Amino acid sequence: MKMLIVFALIITIPAMAQYKNQRIKVSDNKRFLVHEDGTPFFYLGDTGWELLHRLDREQADKYLKKRSEQGFTVIQAVALAEENGLRDPNPYGDVPFINLDPTQPNEKYFQHVDYIIDLAAKYGIVIALLPTWGDKVDRMQWGQGPVIFNPENGKIYGKWLGNRYKDKKNIIWVNGGDRAPEPGHMTTWRAIAQGVIEGVGDKNKALFTFHPPGGQASSAWFHNDDWLDFNMLQTGHCRDVDVYDRIAKDYNLTPAKPTMDGEPIYEDHPVCFNAREHGYSTDTDLRKSAYWGVFAGGHGHTYGCHDVWQMYSPDKLPVNNPRRPWYDALDMVGANQMKHLKNLMLSRPYLTRIPDQSLIVSDNPKGAEYVVATRSTDGAYAMVYIPVGKPVKIDVSKISGNNVKVSWYNPKEGTYTKAPDIAKKAIQEFTTPSVGKGNDWILVLDAVK
């Protein structure tokens, strides 16, 4: 049976509540993040890597205010930044350490970090704080360094940092910094994490993940470490990467831990670092990566913009040819669409959600048109992401009851198009409201009570 749209009622979803100014923890079922009171926390991140290093207080306010208005709940930022973060001073002329010594923090530098963390809390935003970028631990791969950390001073610095921020509720700790830890450096990363936990004084108040390099996941090294609470992938900056398989791999590990893509293809980035051959990434690329990852089992998703991560402005040294200053890039199309993902996921019971590819009966080869499905364990709803508009055959038998409400969610606009309710049959075919490339839709099926 082929389902056609008979009438269209456009419904706009109101913005969901932001961060509640509570500590974030792992849910009881080990699949999601929640607030202290148990309500879902959807990690909608932005890679503001250079926030703490390159922006002054007025600029930081502009950035955080805009991201809050756009529905972001997390900003990923680095205390010891990538772009010569040890020697190049912040806007107030301060560097992080005295004599490049991690055991001698510069109080004035970290007072600016304090200010921005508090400012983020004011805007309902969590700072996913990296104690250091990876080139300060291991410069063998790339980066300016210099390498200053070892297990001994790493633990001292971690403990100092953890103690400084132990009362801040809007912090998630992120070890790593774009590195595949060589065996000789894993001890240092573990020492930094252990130092932070000792400084905080309570592991339950130090939620941790690890930011890996492109194409890899934290689970490759640290999945069984007690300090690692949830896994993070970096799928990198090429188009149509199989994030659904990579998330599924982490999702199926034992013990169960939440997982997410913490650095996917950035908006306005040279695709595969080669704009001449592949052009620049667009909002279509970003939506596909985001919905693929979350529907495949991710507890959240991180957005990024090439101009914004480095806080590029004409007075700064550019990295990989940014096309506009950060302040002009804040309102790019993709940045304004990410909230629609968060709002959709939180519009239904969230903590019962699982990935379920068995819903899809149509031929479904992996690649640019791969269809991904998620549903509630109790059959209350199912959602199917269709990245290229076309007919799809769905097994509706896993929806509870005898009748099903059908609607289409537009990930560009955050609106529903209502379709007629249907009497449930095992296999049914649905056709997206528009077809072809650039016409991605989410089929939403709700059980009629």
Side-chain angles (χ1 to χ4, degrees):
M1 176 181 178
K2 186 175 182 179
M3 295 302 303
L4 299 176
I5 298 297
V6 177
F7 61 92
L9 173 62
I10 304 298
I11 306 171
T12 302
I13 299 179
M16 301 299 293
Q18 292 278 89
Y19 164 66
K20 291 185 173 184
N21 195 30
Q22 298 178 9
R23 292 188 188 275
I24 306 303
K25 64 179 184 178
V26 174
S27 63
D28 290 343
N29 66 5
K30 309 301 181 185
R31 294 302 187 190
F32 304 96
L33 300 185
V34 295
H35 296 90
E36 285 179 289
D37 64 8
T39 56
F41 175 75
F42 190 86
Y43 186 123
L44 182 59
D46 181 33
T47 51
W49 298 128
E50 287 282 334
L51 167 64
L52 305 175
H53 179 221
R54 282 188 164 179
L55 298 194
D56 63 26
R57 294 181 179 188
E58 182 178 355
Q59 292 168 330
D61 186 88
K62 176 183 179 71
Y63 168 71
L64 292 168
K65 182 175 185 290
K66 172 58 72 172
R67 287 302 191 234
S68 177
E69 291 170 350
Q70 292 169 323
F72 289 90
T73 57
V74 180
I75 303 298
Q76 296 171 192
V78 192
L80 311 181
E82 173 181 356
E83 294 306 305
N84 202 18
L86 296 179
R87 294 191 174 106
D88 187 17
N90 70 12
Y92 302 100
D94 299 311
V95 293
F97 299 128
I98 298 168
N99 299 324
L100 297 177
D101 183 354
T103 68
Q104 299 185 63
N106 179 355
E107 178 65 19
K108 288 186 177 180
Y109 179 91
F110 283 95
Q111 284 175 358
H112 182 56
V113 175
D114 301 345
Y115 180 89
I116 293 179
I117 291 173
D118 289 341
L119 186 63
K122 169 187 169 184
Y123 284 117
I125 286 177
V126 173
I127 295 294
L129 180 63
L130 283 72
T132 181
W133 201 249
D135 60 340
K136 283 68 171 167
V137 174
D138 173 14
R139 195 167 170 254
M140 292 295 291
Q141 297 164 61
W142 58 275
Q144 300 181 54
V147 173
I148 61 170
F149 283 107
N150 56 52
E152 290 73 29
N153 65 21
K155 185 172 182 180
I156 292 170
Y157 168 63
K159 187 172 183 178
W160 178 85
L161 208 60
N163 182 66
R164 188 179 189 93
Y165 298 122
K166 64 184 178 183
D167 295 324
K168 304 295 183 186
K169 296 181 179 180
N170 68 319
I171 289 182
I172 292 173
W173 296 94
V174 187
N175 221 342
D178 210 12
R179 285 302 182 280
E182 303 297 331
H185 297 111
M186 291 176 71
T187 303
T188 300
W189 291 118
R190 287 177 169 131
I192 291 172
Q194 187 59 42
V196 168
I197 292 166
E198 290 185 12
V200 171
D202 182 350
K203 175 62 185 83
N204 293 323
K205 296 180 179 179
L207 186 70
F208 250 109
T209 189
F210 184 94
H211 172 236
Q216 301 199 54
S218 59
S219 58
W221 306 280
F222 300 115
H223 183 75
N224 292 311
D225 283 31
D226 290 340
W227 61 267
L228 187 85
D229 298 294
F230 67 94
N231 281 305
M232 181 176 282
L233 288 72
Q234 181 187 161
T235 52
H237 304 291
C238 292
R239 184 176 283 133
D240 295 335
V241 174
D242 60 344
V243 59
Y244 38 81
D245 281 344
R246 302 181 192 201
I247 289 287
K249 181 180 178 180
D250 271 5
Y251 190 91
N252 291 319
L253 291 175
T254 301
K257 291 185 176 182
T259 185
M260 66 172 293
D261 191 351
E263 186 173 338
I265 188 169
Y266 286 168
E267 192 164 23
D268 211 29
H269 193 286
V271 175
C272 285
F273 297 90
N274 189 337
R276 180 174 295 180
E277 289 189 21
H278 305 296
Y280 284 80
S281 56
T282 67
D283 58 299
T284 298
D285 301 319
L286 271 66
R287 290 194 309 276
K288 193 182 297 186
S289 179
Y291 285 85
W292 272 347
V294 171
F295 278 37
H299 70 83
H301 180 76
T302 298
Y303 161 89
C305 176
H306 185 47
D307 317 296
V308 173
W309 77 257
Q310 60 188 283
M311 301 302 172
Y312 172 69
S313 58
D315 62 326
K316 296 292 191 296
L317 188 67
V319 180
N320 294 326
N321 303 309
R323 297 202 289 180
R324 67 203 82 205
W326 68 267
Y327 40 81
D328 290 340
L330 289 179
D331 253 328
M332 293 198 73
V333 174
N336 286 304
Q337 292 175 344
M338 287 296 108
K339 62 180 176 289
H340 304 322
L341 169 62
K342 180 189 74 172
N343 291 347
L344 175 65
M345 304 321 294
L346 294 179
S347 68
R348 268 82 175 165
Y350 190 63
L351 302 180
T352 58
R353 186 177 66 85
I354 59 171
D356 188 356
Q357 287 302 95
S358 71
L359 289 165
I360 302 161
V361 181
S362 307
D363 290 339
N364 194 24
K366 293 178 180 179
E369 298 189 15
Y370 192 60
V371 178
V372 181
T374 186
R375 67 176 177 89
S376 176
T377 54
D378 63 2
Y381 67 88
M383 300 177 186
V384 182
Y385 177 65
I386 305 165
V388 176
K390 60 183 179 181
V392 292
K393 291 181 180 179
I394 303 298
D395 180 357
V396 188
S397 65
K398 293 182 180 180
I399 303 297
S400 301
N402 296 318
N403 296 290
V404 180
K405 289 197 300 183
V406 181
S407 55
W408 295 95
Y409 186 73
N410 184 338
K412 300 177 187 178
E413 305 294 336
T415 56
Y416 283 115
T417 299
K418 184 69 176 68
D421 294 358
I422 60 172
K424 188 173 71 176
K425 295 182 180 178
I427 308 299
Q428 305 209 31
E429 184 174 84
F430 302 85
T431 299
T432 54
S434 57
V435 298
K437 293 181 179 180
N439 292 283
D440 50 334
W441 290 90
I442 296 94
L443 172 66
V444 182
L445 303 174
D446 289 296
V448 175
K449 297 181 179 180

